[in-house]
Amino acid sequence: MQKVFGGLMLGCGILVAGLSGLCTLLVAGTAMLGSSSAQETMSVIPASLIFGGIPVAIGIGLYFGGRALVRSAKEDEERDPPTF
């Protein structure tokens, strides 16, 4: 069961971090390329990093938590092989 839950956490973490990171890059890149003044650029980039950085951090946490669960399940399986 740990492998399944760990795999789900891995998948969700990759999706959350990847999509949030791409969205943050898109917003920050659009602000840098499309703004007319440096002051507008400097106000949009920190805001996009704050609002996009939190989901990226959560996604990275889900990824590493899921990876730890999968590894611990494999270690438990190696230590105590299932008997049928």
Side-chain angles (χ1 to χ4, degrees):
M1 190 68 182
Q2 280 183 334
K3 280 187 179 181
V4 172
F5 191 64
L8 287 172
M9 284 178 65
L10 274 168
C12 289
I14 290 169
L15 286 173
V16 169
L19 292 176
S20 297
L22 287 174
C23 186
T24 303
L25 284 175
L26 180 71
V27 170
T30 304
M32 291 181 76
L33 294 176
S35 84
S36 58
S37 71
Q39 188 174 8
E40 288 178 14
T41 303
M42 288 304 169
S43 66
V44 172
I45 290 176
S48 67
L49 290 176
I50 289 171
F51 289 113
I54 294 170
V56 169
I58 291 171
I60 291 171
L62 282 171
Y63 172 79
F64 283 115
R67 190 175 77 166
L69 271 178
V70 170
R71 286 183 177 180
S72 71
K74 286 182 181 179
E75 289 173 1
D76 290 344
E77 196 173 276
E78 289 173 0
R79 204 170 347 115
D80 300 323
T83 56
F84 296 103

